Amino acid sequence: MDAKMVSASLWPQQAEGVESTLYSQITKELAMMAIRTQKFNVFVSEPMGDKDITKVDGINDDLGMKLAAKGFNKAYILLGQFLLLKKDSAVFQRWLKGTYGASPTEAQQCASCLLEWCCSFL
């Protein structure tokens, strides 16, 4: 039996346990990667500098105002929070949804954008 057949035959059993959560997360991440916006591409293609919070993908004007009201008016400040949370996308997304009312999509886009920026520039 070759490696592909072994992998294919084991995956359904693995996907039922803890790996199913990982599989689900990876599937969501891949789906989001396919839907990268122009805003995402622009943000991750250049240094952060002094960009406004609304330049981060997933942060619209309404969410940006909520964040700015609590001191998160610049992208680098939001990046600092992301780094404090150890670049853990799931924890960051829960924080953004729970604290500022971001939608799941907004939180996912924002976390993916910051993570991609970190991979490119840190």
Side-chain angles (χ1 to χ4, degrees), residues 29 33 36 40 43-46 48 79 82-83 86-87 89 110-122:
E29 296 278 337
M33 287 171 58
R36 295 217 167 137
F40 178 99
F43 188 84
V44 301
S45 70
E46 56 194 23
M48 190 164 307
L79 174 65
F82 183 71
L83 295 173
K86 302 178 182 179
K87 297 191 289 188
S89 292
C110 182
S112 294
C113 186
L114 293 175
L115 184 60
E116 183 73 21
W117 188 93
C118 288
C119 290
S120 298
F121 292 96
L122 295 183

Side-chain angles (χ1 to χ4, degrees), residues 44-99:
V44 301
S45 70
E46 56 194 23
M48 190 164 307
D50 201 35
K51 291 180 183 176
D52 188 72
I53 190 72
T54 57
K55 298 297 181 186
V56 180
D57 193 36
I59 307 295
N60 60 25
D61 290 336
D62 292 337
L63 184 54
M65 288 191 323
K66 291 176 187 177
L67 286 159
K70 297 293 185 176
F72 292 93
N73 61 324
K74 299 291 181 181
Y76 69 85
I77 299 171
L78 189 62
L79 174 65
Q81 179 67 21
F82 183 71
L83 295 173
L84 283 172
L85 297 173
K86 302 178 182 179
K87 297 191 289 188
D88 186 324
S89 292
V91 172
F92 179 79
Q93 288 175 56
R94 281 194 302 274
W95 171 80
L96 197 56
K97 291 184 289 189
T99 308

Side-chain angles (χ1 to χ4, degrees), residues 20-30 89-90 93 108:
S20 67
T21 303
L22 178 60
Y23 176 75
S24 176
Q25 181 67 25
I26 290 169
T27 303
K28 288 177 189 175
E29 296 278 337
L30 290 173
S89 292
Q93 288 175 56
Q108 170 65 40

